């Protein structure tokens, strides 16, 4: 059996799979740590617990006392009204008669008085604190020595206290109901001299307190439930926020690692590209040096061949004899000129690719420069029986261009048009202005044309439609690429339109900035 082993050094885990696995394994302890690590999450947690605790405390220590104060306040008002009625009924106070006769008169029917006023019981105190009248006879004669009696009631102020069931009253008596005790001073003015005693009113508020206790209990449970629900909601939301925060941290960590790996790969790739660039530049320099050396070596004998063939063709040193000799001499001259043209085109495209074909701008009379090129190709057009027509829509056009490169643009386009035009055809040269302020040079012919599928091919160096074995027209395929490159040097636009069998039209549009006057 063959055993397969995984080499650890070559194993790289899927980062996305690791990221998903880490997100699924976010435990409770990790969430807790994340809460205390993030300040805003920690604050949310503390505020949530504070709200959950404060709700029941507010009910117990704010709402509960408010209800008690409300009961005491209402009962105190009732007690003051009852005390005023008792003062009139008992005839006690500054204008009262014999207290004993009044007491006897009242005690003759005490139950009716208590029921009529809705009291639990009451007491009447002399200014000294002695109980002189009471619904409970055992209280008569007792002395009230409490501080509140002399410090508050004796000074003309009402004093009220709520006494809960099974606790001691103000006089130290154990009560079996919830009672509100109210001391109402008797007197007509302020100061100690005006104090004539006090009436203590007892109200049974057991029923009221039972309702209040019940209501407060319900409120307590509701607020507690709201607080717990709110706390649960906040904690659930907080958990989601914690999970999102942890996932974001995991994603950030993974992103940092991915960026680090990417930077490492980019650095490695950059080094590779720099090495490749250096190799390409070295190859380009080598090619340029080779072409420069070869052009010098080839041009010298070529010029000699062309010169000697011209001398022989003109029979400067005597007749050639046979007509075949004249024909061969003509072929030698034509082949030499074609080879020289080929070398010049190759050198031009080489300099363009190397970025060494810089433009030397100067003011140029465009019509004059065009006419000079037309004169140069006149003989070639005549020998090919091709008519050249010119149309100058602007006469005195001067532009800021490289004169040699501009002429080469016109020359290459005219040479191509003449070359690919059939005998009897025509070539048109048109100069004119364009709408944006620039000017255009348009050269069209009635030649063989270029199929649409091959138009992009002829714009590449050495790009030709047909192979050399079937081509009727010799050429290097460098004419149009050189024209386009030279147009780019002038920020000019190159346009090519062609139809098979009808001809080709090439337009070079120079920008407005090149125009000096027209």
């Amino acid at each position: 059996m063959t055993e397969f082993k995984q080499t650890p050094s070559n194993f790289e885990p899927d980062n996305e799979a690791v990221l998903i696995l880490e997100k699924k394994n976010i435990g409770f302890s990790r969430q807790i740590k994340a809460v205390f690590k993030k300040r805003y999450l920690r604050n949310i947690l503390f505020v949530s617990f504070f709200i959950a605790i404060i709700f029941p405390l507010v009910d117990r220590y704010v709402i509960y006392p408010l209800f008690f104060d409300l009961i005491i306040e209402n009962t105190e008002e009732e007690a003051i009204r009852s005390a005023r009625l008792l003062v009139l009924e008992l005839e006690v106070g500054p204008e009262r008669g014999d207290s004993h006769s009044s007491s006897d008169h009242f005690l003759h029917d005490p139950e009716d008085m208590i029921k009529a006023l809705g009291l639990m019981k009451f007491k009447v105190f002399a200014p000294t604190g002695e109980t002189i009248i009471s619904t409970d006879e055992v209280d008569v004669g007792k002395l009230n020595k409490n501080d509140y009696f002399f410090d508050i009631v004796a000074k003309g102020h009402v004093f009220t206290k709520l006494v809960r069931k099974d606790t001691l009253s103000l006089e130290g008596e154990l009560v079996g109901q919830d009672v509100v005790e109210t001391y109402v001073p008797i007197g007509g003015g302020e100061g100690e001299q005006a104090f004539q005693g006090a009436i203590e009113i007892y109200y049974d508020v057991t029923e009221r307190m039972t309702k209040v206790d019940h209501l407060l209990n319900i409120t307590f449970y509701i607020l507690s439930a709201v607080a717990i629900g709110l706390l649960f909601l906040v904690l659930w939301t907080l958990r989601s926020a914690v999970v999102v925060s942890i996932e974001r941290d995991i994603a950030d960590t993974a992103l940092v690692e991915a960026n680090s790996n990417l930077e490492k790969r980019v650095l490695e790739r950059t080094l590779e590209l720099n090495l490749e660039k250096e190799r390409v530049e070295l190859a380009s320099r080598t090619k340029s040096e080779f072409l420069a050396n070869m052009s010098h070596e080839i041009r010298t004998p070529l010029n000699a061949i062309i010169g000697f063939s011209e001398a022989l063709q003109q029979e400067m040193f005597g007749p050639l004899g046979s007509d075949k000799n004249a024909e061969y001499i003509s072929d030698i001259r034509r082949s030499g000129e074609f080879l020289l043209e080929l070398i010049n085109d190759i050198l031009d495209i080489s300099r363009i690719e190397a970025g060494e074909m810089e433009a030397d701008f100067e003011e140029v009379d465009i019509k004059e420069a065009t006419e000079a090129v037309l004169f140069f190709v006149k003989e070639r057009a005549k020998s090919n029986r091709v008519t050249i027509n010119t149309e100058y829509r602007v006469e005195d056009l001067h532009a800021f261009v490289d004169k040699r490169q501009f002429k080469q643009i016109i020359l290459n386009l005219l040479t191509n048009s003449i070359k690919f035009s059939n005998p009897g055809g025509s070539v048109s040269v048109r100069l004119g202005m364009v709408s944006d302020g620039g000017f255009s040079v348009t050269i069209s012919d009635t030649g063989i044309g270029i199929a649409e599928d091959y138009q992009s091919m002829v714009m590449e160096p050495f790009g030709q439609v047909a192979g050399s074995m079937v081509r009727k027209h010799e050429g290097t395929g460098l004419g149009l690429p050189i024209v386009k490159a030279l147009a780019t040097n002038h920020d000019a636009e190159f346009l090519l339109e062609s139809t098979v069998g009808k001809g080709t039209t090439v337009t070079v549009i120079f920008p407005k900035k090149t125009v000096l006057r027209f």
Side-chain angles (χ1 to χ4, degrees), residues 197-213:
I199 295 179
E200 182 183 10
I201 305 294
Y202 290 78
Y203 271 102
D204 184 357
V205 292
T206 303
E207 184 178 353
R208 297 183 192 178
M209 292 305 299
T210 301
K211 292 180 179 180
V212 170
D213 288 340

Side-chain angles (χ1 to χ4, degrees), residues 4 44 60 68 127 162 213 217-218 224 317 359 389 425 470:
F4 295 94
I44 292 174
R60 189 68 180 176
F68 282 3
L162 172 65
D213 288 340
N217 286 334
I218 293 175
S224 298
F317 304 105
N389 303 313
V470 297

Side-chain angles (χ1 to χ4, degrees), residues 291 299 341-357 404 408 412 478 481-482 485-486:
L291 290 174
R299 276 177 173 174
E341 181 183 345
L342 172 62
I343 292 172
N344 288 335
D345 285 348
I346 292 174
L347 288 176
D348 285 342
I349 200 68
S350 177
R351 287 200 299 271
I352 290 170
E353 290 179 347
E356 298 174 358
M357 183 69 80
R404 186 186 66 81
Q408 189 170 357
N412 284 13
L478 295 173
I482 290 175
L486 296 178

Side-chain angles (χ1 to χ4, degrees), residues 96-128:
R96 71 180 184 274
D98 185 10
S99 61
H100 292 287
S101 63
S102 299
S103 176
D104 293 342
H105 172 74
F106 169 74
L107 292 177
H108 183 70
D109 194 8
E111 295 296 332
D112 292 340
M113 180 64 69
I114 294 175
K115 291 179 180 179
L117 296 177
L119 307 180
M120 179 179 174
K121 74 174 185 175
F122 71 88
K123 297 179 185 179
V124 178
F125 294 92
T128 59

Side-chain angles (χ1 to χ4, degrees), residues 77 382 401 469 516:
E77 292 176 357
K382 185 177 180 181
V401 296
M469 297 299 294
L516 296 177

Side-chain angles (χ1 to χ4, degrees), residues 152-180:
I152 298 176
V153 181
K155 292 182 179 181
H157 301 291
V158 177
F159 180 73
T160 303
K161 183 181 179 181
L162 172 65
V163 181
R164 297 307 303 268
K165 181 180 179 180
D166 297 328
T167 59
L168 297 177
S169 67
L170 292 173
E171 287 79 25
E173 300 172 355
L174 184 66
V175 295
Q177 300 91 8
D178 292 320
V179 178
V180 174

Side-chain angles (χ1 to χ4, degrees), residues 35-54:
V35 169
F36 287 95
K37 183 179 179 181
K38 302 287 184 180
R39 183 177 180 180
Y40 76 96
L41 296 177
R42 185 170 64 249
N43 291 340
I44 292 174
L45 180 64
F46 290 157
V47 169
S48 303
F49 278 111
F50 175 76
I51 293 175
I53 294 173
I54 201 67

